[in-house]
Amino acid sequence: MARIAVIGAGMGAMATAARLAVAGHRVTVYERGETYGGAVGRYEREGFAFDTGPGLLHLPAVYRDLFVKTGKRSLETCVDMAQADPAVRHVLPHHGVDVALPGASRGGVAAALDGAFGQGAGERWNAVLGRARDAWDATRRPLLEEPLPADRRALAADPYPALRRGGLLRRRPPTLADVAGRELGGGLGEVLAGRVRAYGIDPGRAPASAAVLPYMEQTFGSWYVRGGMRALADAVHERCRERKVEFVFGAEVREVRTDAGRAAGLRLADGSEVAADSVVCGIDPRLLPAASLPWPREAVPARGPDLPSRLTLFLALSGARPPGTVHRTLVHSPGLDVTVLRPDDPATRPGAAHEAVTVTAVCGPAGAAGAADAPEPSPDRLLELAGQAVPGLRERLLWHEAHTPADIEAATGAAGGSVPAPALAGAGGRLLYPANATAVPGLYLAGGWAHPGGGLAHAGMTGALVAGLIVEGAEFRGSQ
């Protein structure tokens, strides 16, 4: 039985801890804050409750597998999940388009898009997502289910089978913006670009393979955990406790100790030292002092502070949520897209005559997720666009609270409140993350700052990868 020290109590770190504990290791999690979950938090006021991080879960199979592998009770017996259907509503005020797309129905999506954008729009959309499926099939295992290979050249190339017609530039691979403009065009192209931009990814700089993100949503669905996504963090924390994982809160890690070139424990902010046979860093490793250990260049995330963050508004509304309201709406406008979440969940509101709404937009650094001259979003602008999705919003608004990048930084420690996106193939490999095993023996990286990147599912997947590497060794190649 080895002693494992885990830095941080985010979702990826807890997923790793639970799997290692099941394998017979003694696991202790050291968290600088006073609670677990990282970005998956909850804000409550006057009977209203809001998720401070992700509002929906994509690829729920990652957490289903976690619960199957770590205990007798399945994910569905620990949390109440419901698939969002319609999956998403798109509102494009400048095009006069308002369309809801069904969940996990290729034909239904095509029919809805034909009705909104004209005959043939659905066929063009499904053709793009069909090519995205090819990219998904080519990279699913190396980009999500296996440790990052030492030779990353295959993942540096874009797997999206771009069309060889219509003037696509041959001197460089097409970007996602090229695909949106040339293969879809007009408002339909804006829908694709906006779906990718919501992840904090600039369509103008992203490879065409970024189309796998809306492909995953359409294929595997979007899921909501009743009680809010914080309930998922509660369930993972409880599973860790059931497996005898120990949590130490208010314990800021100052450095990773090494002995003979191998990770040997931690030094905490209070000066105390912790011995360990292996260390799992579940936070951005650059939060540790550079002198704390000899970080190899390839082990440090290249994008952290340069990643965009989120500006979120929590809206307390009078009046009941209308029947048939779509859970998630994307409002697209030139220079800014906002996501409006309206869960049908009594746990989020003080009574049936009220509604809790969350509005989110990607923000900063300048140009990270959109045009370089695009203005930073403001609460007033978010409210204005949210009004396109929620009729009578201003009249119903009781109060609103802003959750800023500074709030995210305070909760997670991420520089500038950065929110990592999932890893993507292409772009010469610049959208990949550091491998889970580092050049320092005994030191591993988990969570959204490591392969395969950010988002609930991808960060959760680091648990399986890191646990596999520690339990089975460097020869571990992922679950078969």
Side-chain angles (χ1 to χ4, degrees), residues 234-318:
D234 294 339
V236 175
H237 175 255
E238 180 60 26
R239 179 54 53 90
C240 286
R241 299 292 295 164
E242 291 172 358
R243 301 278 73 84
K244 309 303 181 186
V245 174
E246 183 180 354
F247 286 80
V248 182
F249 295 105
E252 182 178 356
V253 175
R254 285 290 173 84
E255 82 178 87
V256 176
R257 296 175 50 247
T258 59
D259 184 8
R262 178 182 175 84
L266 307 175
R267 180 172 290 113
L268 305 182
D270 63 6
S272 62
E273 294 187 353
V274 175
D277 299 297
S278 293
V279 173
V280 177
C281 181
I283 62 174
D284 181 348
R286 287 177 304 177
L287 296 176
L288 300 175
S292 66
L293 76 168
W295 287 106
R297 182 185 299 273
E298 66 272 14
V300 180
R303 307 185 300 163
D306 299 324
L307 284 173
S309 186
R310 304 284 190 274
L311 173 63
T312 300
L313 295 185
F314 307 131
L315 310 183
L317 304 186
S318 63

Side-chain angles (χ1 to χ4, degrees), residues 40 42 50-51 54-55 224-233 345 347-348:
V40 185
R42 188 171 176 86
F50 308 86
D51 288 315
Y224 174 70
V225 177
R226 298 193 187 281
M229 298 305 292
R230 178 66 181 181
L232 179 62
D345 187 351
T348 65

Side-chain angles (χ1 to χ4, degrees), residues 350-365:
H354 297 86
E355 184 181 4
V357 175
T358 303
V359 184
T360 304
V362 173
C363 63

Side-chain angles (χ1 to χ4, degrees), residues 132-143:
R133 178 194 60 216
D134 293 341
W136 166 259
D137 290 341
T139 59
R140 175 178 58 86
R141 286 195 60 80
L143 200 59

Side-chain angles (χ1 to χ4, degrees), residues 258-458:
T258 59
D259 184 8
R262 178 182 175 84
L266 307 175
R267 180 172 290 113
L268 305 182
D270 63 6
S272 62
E273 294 187 353
V274 175
D277 299 297
S278 293
V279 173
V280 177
C281 181
I283 62 174
D284 181 348
R286 287 177 304 177
L287 296 176
L288 300 175
S292 66
L293 76 168
W295 287 106
R297 182 185 299 273
E298 66 272 14
V300 180
R303 307 185 300 163
D306 299 324
L307 284 173
S309 186
R310 304 284 190 274
L311 173 63
T312 300
L313 295 185
F314 307 131
L315 310 183
L317 304 186
S318 63
R321 178 183 187 271
T325 294
V326 177
H327 187 118
R328 176 175 58 147
T329 298
L330 269 64
V331 181
H332 307 268
S333 71
L336 182 63
D337 303 280
V338 302
T339 299
V340 181
L341 298 180
R342 306 177 68 184
D344 185 10
D345 187 351
T348 65
R349 55 185 184 255
H354 297 86
E355 184 181 4
V357 175
T358 303
V359 184
T360 304
V362 173
C363 63
D373 59 352
E376 285 290 281
S378 67
D380 281 345
R381 181 60 173 153
L382 263 64
L383 280 174
E384 177 187 349
L385 292 176
Q388 300 287 339
V390 185
L393 173 63
R394 294 282 187 175
E395 292 75 20
R396 297 179 58 196
L397 185 62
L398 299 173
W399 53 262
H400 70 275
E401 192 82 26
H403 188 74
T404 68
D407 295 319
I408 297 175
E409 182 172 12
T412 67
S418 299
V419 179
L424 291 172
R430 67 177 175 80
L431 300 181
L432 300 176
Y433 286 80
N436 307 105
T438 73
V440 179
L443 175 64
Y444 301 86
L445 305 182
W449 300 100
H451 173 74
L456 276 173
H458 289 70

Side-chain angles (χ1 to χ4, degrees), residues 85 99-115 122 125-126 218:
D85 193 10
V99 57
L101 305 183
S105 171
R106 189 171 183 271
V109 168
L113 292 176
D114 280 346
W125 175 268
N126 281 338
Q218 182 167 308

